[in-house]
Amino acid sequence: MSRRGTLVGRLARWLRHHLLGVFAVLGVVAFTLGLVGTYREFRADPQTFSWANVVFFTATLFIADGTIFQNLGHYPLSLEIARFLAPIATTVGVADAVSTVFAQRFERFRARRARRHVVVCGTGPTASALVDKLSRAKQVVLVAEDAQREYPDAELPPGLLRVVGDPVEPLVLAQAGVARAEVIYGCLPDTSSNLGIALAARRLAVDRAESPLRCLAQVGDLSLIPHLRARRIGLTDDPGFRLDFFAIEVLGAHALLQRHPPAWASPERTGPPTSPAAPLVVIGLSGLGRALVTELARRWQAAVGADGPLLPLAVSGPDATEAVTTMREREPALGRVRLTAHDTRRGALPPAVTDPPGDQPPPEFVYVCDGDEELALLAGLDAAQALDRRFGVARTTIVVRTGRQRSLHDVFGGSASRRPPAVAGPLLANLRDGVRFFAVNDEALPLDLGDTDFVDRLAQASHAHYVEAELRAGIEMGSRQAMVPWADLPDDLRDANRAQAAHVGEILRAQALMLMPVDAAETDFAFTEAEVEELALLEHDRWRRERSTRGYQLGPVRQDGIDRRHPALVDWSALAEADQERARRAVRVLPTILAHAGLRIVRLNDPT
């Protein structure tokens, strides 16, 4: 949104919020001056003087009635001022009444006419965090049945418009200008409603193949995401609509480890860990707790490989043993974790942590992930006290999950470097910075559209494997347009990678293969040589069609300008052996790329 639009929006809101006050001030001043001036005017002629006349003719000033001025003489200064000020006050009062009556209708008109904006559907912590952050820089339209109660006029952010209604209804989304929006977030409490929002938005996303509408639907159960992605990937009948799914807990786990990573996961570290990892503890297997355990396992496996040492990780909470059993069945990476479950009361450190066997070091981190903020705070403070008494002060960092940043984080001070100079110190002492706070909604949102887009992630992973294979084959970085990092890749080639990722499911189904979520009980999948050959042929045919639709013709490589050419635009049988092998490599590496995204390939005709 332009700066000019922001200033106009702020001025319009200021006027709407203060019109009644301006009317009251102008009205009182005009009426007072009018009374004084009219009194003096009538007092000069005792035959016409009466208080009824004074009050009546003062009131007529507000409707610009000129009866009192029909003699066109000289009048007292107070009356001269009142004769102009009173109609202005009337105009302001009428404007206030009109704005009150038509404010919602005008707001809907602006929302319906908006372009390249963001639509947020629903209310609650996730929707509020999105609105609060996105509306600072973009036009945001909030669609919810309680939108006006969530954001009343007095608290309306500068970049926010409200549409009151059920966001599952296509007509309501049409009023929010979804057909011209950049992205739409479904943030209702249940997954089915958010899928309904996606369905309604898809009906409105027509003729948008060049700039598809992005739809991100919130999912309540973390385990649903890979199932939904597996069913979505490969559907090619929606060129103007791109759908992906997110869970605030998964985004929170990523953000938490970005801010408070174990030493072996630090961004500054390169290569595998050179010493055994210090123990880690997760208290509370809420959605964030389960997502955090899974993310730690995946990062550890990526750091040490399939044959590396085990990561010591203890989890505690009610029914922790049952929860861990379920997680092991769904997440293969937990096979590289020495995961111990402790069924304890809410927020309690397991005895194996406070009184470890032998000379085991203290935990490096204790992540308190209880969904109740007060219980999480109590658990964090109790854990800090117990670990300080056992191992010494601040040997372990306690990270406590909170809902929003402007709560416990500010009370206990957080990081002094992040505090504005004009803000006073913390309200409560922070135990030598041994207890830190992580506001899941504020830290995880807004979503990075590139990071959360499933097709984009597959495309980036595929390009990274391509570059790595070409480097091993002796091709130098920068020697051709495709031999550059993703960030430097031309838009045309990025789109080609995205198109390849989007058609993965379609090509697999042609060979009686399908995508499913990863399963710890499954063995590694590998294509047969016959499947590799057939899938490589199908992928080459798809690539030829995609390049042709973009105007490419057969000829020496030329990928810019109008006359774009490529020598590989031939049948598979006429394709050079080197190009055939590149297509085969792209097929062989596909199970690895999909596994990192939580998906696996299965054969439909396999009885097992």
Side-chain angles (χ1 to χ4, degrees):
M1 186 172 52
S2 67
R3 184 175 180 181
R4 179 182 177 184
T6 302
L7 292 175
V8 171
R10 288 179 177 175
L11 178 61
R13 274 186 296 278
W14 187 91
L15 287 174
R16 194 173 73 232
H17 295 164
H18 296 85
L19 277 177
L20 184 60
V22 172
F23 166 71
V25 171
L26 290 177
V28 169
V29 172
F31 192 75
T32 302
L33 292 175
L35 279 177
V36 173
T38 306
Y39 171 80
R40 289 177 178 176
E41 179 68 16
F42 280 104
R43 191 67 176 171
D45 185 1
Q47 293 184 352
T48 61
F49 175 79
S50 72
W51 280 108
N53 283 341
V54 170
V55 173
F56 174 79
F57 283 103
T58 299
T60 62
L61 297 177
F62 288 89
I63 58 174
D65 181 87
T67 303
I68 193 176
F69 303 105
Q70 60 185 355
N71 293 329
L72 301 178
H74 294 283
Y75 303 97
L77 178 61
S78 57
L79 185 58
E80 292 282 9
I81 296 174
R83 70 189 289 191
F84 295 102
L85 200 59
I88 294 175
T90 301
T91 302
V92 172
V94 171
D96 178 62
V98 170
S99 68
T100 301
V101 172
F102 294 102
Q104 183 175 341
R105 182 173 296 179
F106 180 63
E107 196 169 0
R108 285 198 177 192
F109 171 79
R110 291 180 58 203
R112 192 167 56 250
R113 303 295 297 175
R115 292 180 178 275
R116 307 302 298 170
H117 56 295
V118 176
V119 178
V120 178
C121 300
T123 54
T126 302
S128 296
L130 283 169
V131 168
D132 292 346
K133 291 195 171 185
L134 292 174
S135 61
R136 299 171 188 172
K138 298 183 71 68
Q139 183 75 72
V140 177
V141 177
L142 176 65
V143 184
E145 293 182 301
D146 55 348
Q148 288 186 320
R149 184 180 62 190
E150 187 76 8
Y151 287 92
D153 290 344
E155 302 175 9
L156 200 63
L160 180 65
L161 299 171
R162 301 158 300 178
V163 172
V164 177
D166 185 355
V168 177
E169 296 295 330
L171 288 177
V172 175
L173 289 185
Q175 292 175 343
V178 165
R180 291 176 300 278
E182 179 180 345
V183 59
I184 176 172
Y185 295 93
C187 302
L188 293 178
D190 57 294
T191 303
S192 60
S193 295
N194 291 325
L195 291 175
I197 291 173
L199 186 62
R202 185 179 68 167
R203 296 173 183 172
L204 300 171
V206 293
D207 300 326
R208 291 198 49 166
E210 294 299 322
S211 59
L213 172 64
R214 298 285 306 280
C215 180
L216 292 152
Q218 182 170 275
V219 176
D221 191 329
L222 309 182
S223 304
L224 272 175
I225 293 181
H227 285 280
L228 295 174
R229 282 176 173 164
R231 303 284 70 79
R232 176 64 187 173
I233 190 69
L235 296 180
T236 58
D237 57 347
D238 291 327
F241 182 74
R242 292 170 64 179
L243 172 65
D244 200 5
F245 310 94
F246 75 95
I248 192 65
E249 295 88 352
V250 175
L251 299 173
H254 284 263
L256 176 55
L257 292 180
Q258 287 295 109
R259 185 169 292 280
H260 304 290
W264 52 265
S266 173
E268 291 78 20
R269 178 179 291 278
T270 57
T274 56
S275 59
L280 301 172
V281 180
V282 175
I283 297 178
L285 288 176
S286 61
L288 177 62
R290 290 184 284 118
L292 181 59
V293 169
T294 299
E295 185 61 23
L296 282 168
R298 290 177 179 174
R299 295 193 181 196
W300 176 256
Q301 185 181 51
V304 303
D307 301 321
L310 301 182
L311 173 68
L313 175 60
V315 299
S316 73
D319 303 320
T321 302
E322 181 181 351
V324 166
T325 301
T326 302
M327 291 171 62
R328 284 190 182 277
E329 294 173 352
R330 293 175 174 171
E331 181 50 57
L334 289 176
R336 306 310 310 153
V337 177
R338 190 167 69 246
L339 186 60
T340 56
H342 305 270
D343 294 330
T344 63
R345 62 183 178 83
R346 297 183 72 176
L349 274 175
V353 174
T354 55
D355 190 19
D359 58 351
Q360 180 175 317
E364 182 183 3
F365 279 94
V366 173
Y367 300 101
V368 184
C369 300
D370 198 298
D372 186 301
E373 193 167 287
E374 289 192 6
L375 290 176
L377 174 61
L378 178 60
L381 296 177
D382 283 347
Q385 183 179 17
L387 292 170
D388 287 352
R389 186 169 54 245
R390 174 63 178 82
F391 298 103
V393 176
R395 294 282 305 279
T396 298
T397 300
I398 315 293
V399 182
V400 178
R401 173 236 180 251
T402 69
R404 296 301 302 271
Q405 190 79 355
R406 295 180 297 275
S407 55
L408 297 177
H409 178 90
D410 293 336
V411 168
F412 285 88
S415 173
S417 62
R418 299 175 62 189
R419 190 184 309 129
V423 177
L427 184 65
L428 299 174
N430 190 11
L431 300 178
R432 301 187 186 180
D433 208 28
V435 178
R436 303 175 186 179
F437 298 91
F438 176 77
V440 61
N441 287 293
D442 282 344
E443 297 282 0
L445 297 170
L447 283 68
D448 183 328
L449 294 182
D451 185 56
T452 56
D453 188 278
F454 183 59
V455 170
D456 241 39
R457 292 209 309 277
L458 288 182
Q460 292 183 42
S462 177
H463 178 69
H465 279 278
Y466 164 80
V467 170
E468 182 180 346
E470 293 295 280
L471 288 173
R472 286 198 302 266
I475 307 299
E476 295 183 359
M477 287 293 287
S479 59
R480 52 177 181 252
Q481 279 191 313
M483 286 299 295
V484 293
W486 177 265
D488 300 326
L489 199 64
D491 291 339
D492 178 64
L493 295 182
R494 287 194 192 189
D495 291 340
N497 279 278
R498 293 186 182 109
Q500 179 187 27
H503 285 74
V504 165
E506 181 183 9
I507 290 176
L508 291 177
R509 282 194 297 271
Q511 292 296 299
L513 301 168
M514 69 177 297
L515 294 175
M516 294 286 288
V518 292
D519 190 325
E522 291 295 319
T523 58
D524 291 338
F525 176 90
F527 291 112
T528 66
E529 285 305 311
E531 288 172 335
V532 169
E533 197 69 16
E534 185 62 29
L535 291 173
L537 187 154
L538 291 174
E539 169 54 26
H540 177 68
D541 287 344
R542 182 211 62 78
W543 176 83
R544 285 180 60 197
R545 293 193 302 271
E546 187 268 340
R547 293 286 86 182
S548 296
T549 59
R550 292 182 177 273
Y552 278 77
Q553 296 180 350
L554 180 64
V557 174
R558 180 169 180 167
Q559 296 182 330
D560 52 7
I562 299 177
D563 186 21
R564 297 192 287 185
R565 298 177 178 273
H566 201 287
L569 289 171
V570 295
D571 291 337
W572 176 262
S573 58
L575 193 64
E577 179 59 28
D579 289 327
Q580 287 187 356
E581 188 54 32
R582 287 191 184 96
R584 295 185 188 105
R585 284 202 307 261
V587 171
R588 292 190 185 103
V589 80
L590 191 55
T592 302
I593 295 174
L594 291 169
H596 285 302
L599 298 177
R600 59 188 172 95
I601 302 172
V602 297
R603 294 181 174 87
L604 294 177
N605 56 4
D606 191 337
T608 60

